[in-house]
Structure formats: structure tokens, C-alpha cells
Amino acid sequence: MKFIRIILFPIVPIYYLVTWFRNWLYDKGFNSSESYDFPVICVGNLSTGGTGKTPMIEYLIRLLKDEKSVATLSRGYKRITEGFVLADKSATADTIGDEPFQFFKKFKDIKVAVDGNRQNGIKELTATDEQTEVILLDDAYQHRKVIAGFNILLTAYNNLYYKDIVLPTGNLREPRSGAKRADLIVVTKCPKTISETEKSKISSRLKLNSNQQLFFSHINYSEKVISKSSELALNQLSKFTLVTGIANAKPLVDFLNKRGLEFDHVEYPDHYSFKPTDTEILEGKGLIVTTEKDYVRLSSNNESLEPNLFYLPIEIEIDKKKAFDESIKEFVD
């Protein structure tokens, strides 16, 4: 794969120019965009994935849901449906996508919708009888047809965007200059021990505008794994199989290794759609631990896995939580 990316390097300048020109057309108003008179918050990245968008959306839901009527709007990657879908009791990971289904399962007091056309999705959400006061756009940073009132750009500590180049050799969906559209940038998946000196170095390399805010966050892993009917403390786990279908499993693998846990790692591509043959193989693996996103896909129509299928919950912790929360609440109020 790395070799293929290297030989495709001559395409990089072409991709760069096409995406740069597209942004220029939107910036200058030649391509039309829709703005809104109510709070729309976009969470996204420049990279192709693995920056922690889902935990950030969940953080914002927890922050706002008790004071505002919140809705999430995602594309619904790899779903079998088309157009606008508002999650209801018949929703599954197949009909709305794994991440939206995760939101729907965890937060019963918000609306969860999917639509590849974000303009139409927002229109449909605001047309329902129930009032929507804040819309959280999941992975919509490059969706320039919608002008979010507040843009949160994520970049992972181990793959900061200023070290990367655009596709197909690099991982950036658009040139690094696109970061200037962000109101707030969060360096995610940092080590808990990151120093102020290192934060300062990263800040200087990111070259923020005067109106941009920078925060750092790290992942907090739970001390227990959860199944449909039970929980197990991490220190109760004997040898198990770790199953992941996410963009970057390294932080999770590192965490489990540091805990001295014994496991085999079965790794699938991001958003992998598990097949019956995969289920048959995993049935013989004994205890399975996976991510929450993978759990919603693995547990769907795979009752044979249920007794031994657990997920490890995570949440993000932001270094200057009070300032971050105030920035969000100031925008939505």
C-alpha cells in the first residue's frame, strides 16, 4: 500500500490544485453556500480519518443536551439506505451507519439523522414538529455547501496535519490552508503527560490565526468492558481477542499493552461490514473485546457472539475544559 502511494506521487499536485481551486471558488462566493440563523457546529478534519470525531461529537452532546434541543447530522457512511433518514426504533447500523447508530443508542433525548446532502438534512431536521435548537455536523468540514457557524477542526497528535500532504500519497483531503476556516482546533489523542513546552511547539507549527483557539485532548479509557448483559473489570480479563475496524487502532493497542493484558489483535479496515464468514471465525475466538463503534456493527444480527462480545468505552478529556466549554456555549446562546 505504501509503495502504491509513493508511485502515485505525481498525482499529488493535481489533487492539490483541484481541491485548492474548489475552496477558492467557495471562499470568493462563486460556488453558493447556505448559512443559518441558528447554531450549526461542524466537527471535522483535514485527514482521511482517525482523529476522534465520534468522541468529540459525544462530548458536545453531553455538554449541550440538558440545555438545548440537539440533533446530529451525519452522512451515514456505508449505510444501505439513501437520502434523509431520521433514526427511530427501527434504526440499525445498516440503515443509518455505525457512528450515528452509536449516538442514537447512547443518547435518547436527541435527534439523530443522516443525509449525504447536508443542506437537505438541515432542512428536514428543522421541518419536523419537534424544535431543533443546535445541529452538530459530523465529518462535514469539506462540505462547503453548508456554512457552519462554528467549525471545530481535529488533528491527531501522532499525525498532525502540518506534517502531512494531500492524497493520494498523503492523507489530507484538502491542502493544509483549509485549516484557516476553523474557529477552534483540537489536537486529539495526546499523551496524558504532554508538556506545556511541547504544546507551545505544536502551536507555533500550526500557525494559527489570531481568531483561532487551540486545545489539546487525550482519551480516557474505561476501567471495564461492557456487553449487552454484563460488565467485566479490565483486571478480570484473561487472554482475549481484540477486534477493531477503525482508522487507527494503535492508541487502543498501546493502552491494553501498557495494562499488561494478553490478547490477539484481529484488525479490519475502517467501517468494515462484518460478513457471516467473519462471524464464524470470531465465534471460535472466545472472549472478544472491541471498540464501541465496532460493537454496534458486530452485535447487529450476530446473536451467537453476544455472550462473549464486549466493548471498551472511551471519553475525551480536554486540557482547558472550562475555556473550551465556554467557547461552545457562547456560540450556541
Side-chain angles (χ1 to χ4, degrees), residues 132-149:
T132 299
E133 296 177 296
V134 180
I135 293 179
L136 305 177
L137 299 179
D138 178 23
D139 196 13
Y141 197 76
Q142 284 75 37
H143 201 95
R144 299 295 306 273
K145 288 184 179 296
V146 165
I147 301 176

Side-chain angles (χ1 to χ4, degrees), residues 141 176-183 206-209 211-212:
Y141 197 76
R176 288 173 283 190
S177 57
K180 299 304 180 184
R181 300 196 305 274
D183 298 283
L206 291 174
K207 298 179 180 178
L208 276 64
N209 289 337
N211 64 317
Q212 292 180 308

Side-chain angles (χ1 to χ4, degrees), residues 42-57:
C42 170
V43 175
N45 50 22
L46 298 184
S47 175
T48 52
T51 57
K53 294 184 296 292
T54 301
M56 177 58 72
I57 290 287

Side-chain angles (χ1 to χ4, degrees), residues 219-232:
I219 296 173
N220 280 333
Y221 292 95
S222 175
E223 288 298 315
K224 60 186 179 183
V225 292
I226 299 173
S227 73
K228 189 174 182 178
S229 59
S230 62
E231 299 178 354
L232 289 173

Side-chain angles (χ1 to χ4, degrees), residues 244-249 252 267-271 291 293-294 297:
T244 61
I246 56 178
N248 180 17
L252 173 57
E267 191 170 11
Y268 295 92
D270 194 19
H271 294 281
T291 68
K293 185 172 78 169
D294 293 313
R297 281 180 280 118

Side-chain angles (χ1 to χ4, degrees), residues 219-328:
I219 296 173
N220 280 333
Y221 292 95
S222 175
E223 288 298 315
K224 60 186 179 183
V225 292
I226 299 173
S227 73
K228 189 174 182 178
S229 59
S230 62
E231 299 178 354
L232 289 173
L234 287 181
N235 56 19
Q236 291 180 277
L237 298 179
S238 54
K239 187 172 182 179
F240 61 90
T241 299
L242 174 67
V243 177
T244 61
I246 56 178
N248 180 17
K250 187 177 185 302
L252 173 57
V253 171
D254 290 346
F255 168 76
L256 295 174
N257 280 327
K258 287 178 181 177
R259 295 299 299 264
L261 298 173
E262 186 180 0
F263 60 94
D264 295 320
H265 184 195
V266 179
E267 191 170 11
Y268 295 92
D270 194 19
H271 294 281
Y272 182 75
S273 297
F274 293 96
K275 303 174 180 63
T277 51
D278 300 313
T279 303
E280 290 175 9
I281 293 171
L282 295 176
E283 282 176 356
K285 297 291 186 180
L287 182 68
I288 295 173
V289 174
T290 189
T291 68
E292 193 167 1
K293 185 172 78 169
D294 293 313
Y295 180 83
V296 299
R297 281 180 280 118
L298 270 171
S299 61
S300 178
N301 302 318
N302 288 320
E303 294 182 2
S304 59
L305 293 176
E306 281 295 348
N308 294 314
L309 181 63
F310 292 77
Y311 69 88
L312 180 64
I314 65 170
E315 290 186 11
I316 60 168
E317 184 171 329
I318 297 172
D319 65 338
K320 297 177 181 177
K321 173 179 166 55
K322 184 178 179 182
F324 180 90
D325 292 357
E326 286 177 351
S327 294
I328 303 300

Side-chain angles (χ1 to χ4, degrees), residues 182-201:
D183 298 283
L184 188 151
I185 296 173
V186 182
V187 179
T188 62
K189 302 183 179 182
C190 297
K192 293 184 179 181
T193 55
I194 185 172
S195 67
E196 292 300 321
T197 300
E198 187 173 7
K199 289 179 185 177
S200 180
K201 288 180 181 178

Side-chain angles (χ1 to χ4, degrees), residues 68-192:
K68 301 288 183 180
S69 174
V70 175
T72 66
L73 179 60
S74 311
R75 175 176 53 160
Y77 185 61
K78 285 196 173 182
R79 61 188 169 112
I80 60 175
T81 56
E82 295 182 358
F84 177 81
V85 178
L86 182 64
D88 58 20
K89 62 182 180 180
S90 66
T92 67
D94 288 332
T95 60
I96 63 173
D98 50 11
E99 291 154 344
F101 188 59
Q102 181 175 320
F103 302 150
F104 180 69
K105 294 274 285 184
K106 292 178 77 169
F107 303 103
K108 299 301 183 183
D109 46 358
I110 71 166
K111 287 190 283 188
V112 175
V114 294
D115 196 332
N117 183 332
R118 303 307 203 284
Q119 278 190 8
N120 184 68
I122 292 173
K123 179 182 177 181
E124 293 285 352
L125 273 172
T126 54
T128 58
D129 293 335
E130 298 177 20
Q131 184 180 13
T132 299
E133 296 177 296
V134 180
I135 293 179
L136 305 177
L137 299 179
D138 178 23
D139 196 13
Y141 197 76
Q142 284 75 37
H143 201 95
R144 299 295 306 273
K145 288 184 179 296
V146 165
I147 301 176
F150 199 87
N151 283 295
I152 300 176
L153 179 66
L154 309 182
T155 182
Y157 171 82
N158 63 355
N159 190 26
L160 295 160
Y161 64 75
Y162 66 73
K163 299 178 180 179
D164 207 348
I165 61 174
V166 297
L167 294 163
T169 302
N171 292 308
L172 298 185
R173 299 170 173 176
E174 61 174 295
R176 288 173 283 190
S177 57
K180 299 304 180 184
R181 300 196 305 274
D183 298 283
L184 188 151
I185 296 173
V186 182
V187 179
T188 62
K189 302 183 179 182
C190 297
K192 293 184 179 181

